[in-house]
Amino acid sequence: MVYIPPPSKSAFIQLGDYVPKVGIYTNPGVVAEKKDDGTIVIDTNKDSIKQYHRHSITTGLTPSEKEIFNDIMDDVMSMGENSERIIELQKRIDSLKSTPKNKKVSDFLRNEQAQLIRWSKDLPRVYNTMPEKLR
């Protein structure tokens, strides 16, 4: 029998992941660098945090997925009314869902849409879904 050690926590940490705090007296930050020895560098500069997490905490997405998410949210949040934002987000989610590699981004966008729905008490007009999901 061969022992395979479990993956270290650093194996799951990605650049740009949010870190609420490192020690007792530290500010929140983001992972700025992963070193070969397994250690990571945390940047607590607010601009660095905002670079990756402009609209919400996107820990779990790769840096390129974070960029896609933030670009979409920048476009959506530049719209005036929440009802317009909800509809536009639904369109973007539907287009992203057609590509399996974009599932995580579309899940994060769905969470943002749910937040907008709660704030505005408005719903999307059009939904794309599978027929078997209908009741």
Side-chain angles (χ1 to χ4, degrees):
M1 189 181 322
V2 176
Y3 173 72
I4 301 173
S8 67
K9 192 170 187 177
S10 68
F12 299 108
I13 294 175
Q14 301 179 61
L15 290 178
D17 280 356
Y18 182 78
V19 180
K21 70 179 191 177
V22 179
I24 296 172
Y25 301 109
T26 59
N27 292 324
V30 292
V31 176
E33 181 183 349
K34 288 177 71 172
K35 295 186 176 182
D36 293 334
D37 65 358
T39 60
I40 57 175
V41 175
I42 309 285
D43 186 354
T44 60
N45 184 323
K46 291 184 189 219
D47 291 335
S48 298
I49 296 171
K50 199 167 186 110
Q51 174 188 354
Y52 292 105
H53 307 282
R54 284 194 294 274
H55 301 283
S56 67
I57 304 299
T58 55
T59 296
L61 296 179
T62 64
S64 62
E65 290 171 333
K66 287 177 187 357
E67 190 175 325
I68 293 168
F69 173 86
N70 283 323
D71 288 345
I72 291 171
M73 286 305 298
D74 286 344
D75 291 343
V76 167
M77 295 310 283
S78 69
M79 299 176 147
E81 296 290 321
N82 278 341
S83 57
E84 294 173 26
R85 293 173 180 168
I86 292 167
I87 292 168
E88 182 61 27
L89 262 176
Q90 188 64 46
K91 289 177 188 174
R92 300 288 184 99
I93 290 166
D94 289 341
S95 68
L96 283 173
K97 280 191 333 188
S98 64
T99 309
K101 73 175 189 148
N102 291 327
K103 180 182 179 350
K104 287 190 343 187
V105 176
S106 67
D107 288 348
F108 274 76
L109 289 172
R110 186 165 305 288
N111 290 338
E112 287 300 305
Q113 184 187 43
Q115 188 73 4
L116 281 172
I117 288 169
R118 283 191 289 278
W119 287 340
S120 67
K121 297 179 175 54
D122 199 2
L123 294 171
R125 284 185 302 129
V126 178
Y127 298 90
N128 285 338
T129 188
M130 301 299 288
E132 52 272 3
K133 289 187 177 182
L134 298 176
R135 294 179 188 186

